[in-house]
Amino acid sequence: MLLLLIFWIAPAHGPTNIMVYISICSLLGSFTVPSTKGIGLAAQDIFHNNPSSQRALCLCLVLLAVLGCSIIIQFRYINKALECFDSSVFGAIYYVVFTTLVLLASAILFREWSNVGLVDFLGMACGFTTVSVGIVLIQVFKEFNFNIGEMNKSNMKTD
């Protein structure tokens, strides 16, 4: 999917469609966060001198390479997006899509959601939804001037 987005869709539709660059950066983020987590897990085996420490060292090096490449490519496409689109709109949409894909990747790779009950899942989903909607509203209405004093004055004039 990333190769399709980077080599075919981004050159043609990237400057006109914000979701192209957001999709690229968010999909790369779904590699970045689990790679970092994997490096931490592999480092535990490396420093405990287990018989599997050689395999852990190889895994750690591969994950470092994936992490470095994904961060560099992410920076490139974030800069391209900020050249073409408003930063407040990009930031809000990117936060929501990035977080969603990272949670999905972590759930698939590390099976983090297997021990979560329904009530806890609903609480996390409501919290995530609240934060996401709040971020979007804050960024979208950042330029909107709202003053309670002016609202009271305009209500008094109409009475």
Side-chain angles (χ1 to χ4, degrees):
M1 180 124 183
L2 268 171
L3 294 175
L4 178 72
L5 281 168
I6 290 172
F7 293 112
W8 286 283
I9 297 175
H13 302 286
T16 58
N17 188 346
I18 194 169
M19 287 307 294
V20 173
Y21 291 143
I22 286 176
S23 298
I24 291 170
C25 295
S26 298
L27 284 169
L28 284 166
S30 68
F31 288 113
T32 304
V33 174
S35 293
T36 306
K37 194 171 191 174
I39 289 168
L41 293 172
Q44 291 176 350
D45 284 346
I46 292 169
F47 294 119
H48 281 105
N49 289 329
N50 290 340
S52 65
S53 64
Q54 283 294 65
R55 262 189 301 157
L57 179 62
C58 291
L59 177 63
C60 188
L61 293 174
V62 168
L63 290 174
L64 276 171
V66 168
L67 180 66
C69 290
S70 64
I71 287 173
I72 290 169
I73 297 169
Q74 264 183 311
F75 281 153
R76 179 173 182 229
Y77 282 97
I78 287 173
N79 286 332
K80 281 186 175 190
L82 292 176
E83 289 173 1
C84 300
F85 304 104
D86 183 33
S87 63
S88 62
V89 174
F90 175 78
I93 298 171
Y94 178 57
Y95 173 80
V96 173
V97 176
F98 176 85
T99 306
T100 303
L101 289 177
V102 166
L103 287 173
L104 184 64
S106 293
I108 292 169
L109 290 174
F110 297 106
R111 292 183 176 87
E112 292 177 340
W113 296 81
S114 60
N115 295 329
V116 176
L118 179 64
V119 174
D120 292 332
F121 173 76
L122 290 175
M124 286 186 269
C126 287
F128 174 70
T129 303
T130 302
V131 169
S132 298
V133 169
I135 292 291
V136 169
L137 289 175
I138 287 170
Q139 293 298 321
V140 169
F141 292 110
K142 183 169 58 174
E143 301 294 323
F144 185 71
N145 292 326
F146 180 75
N147 188 344
I148 298 292
E150 291 177 14
M151 290 284 293
N152 288 336
K153 288 178 186 176
S154 65
N155 284 340
M156 288 181 188
K157 289 179 183 176
T158 58
D159 290 340

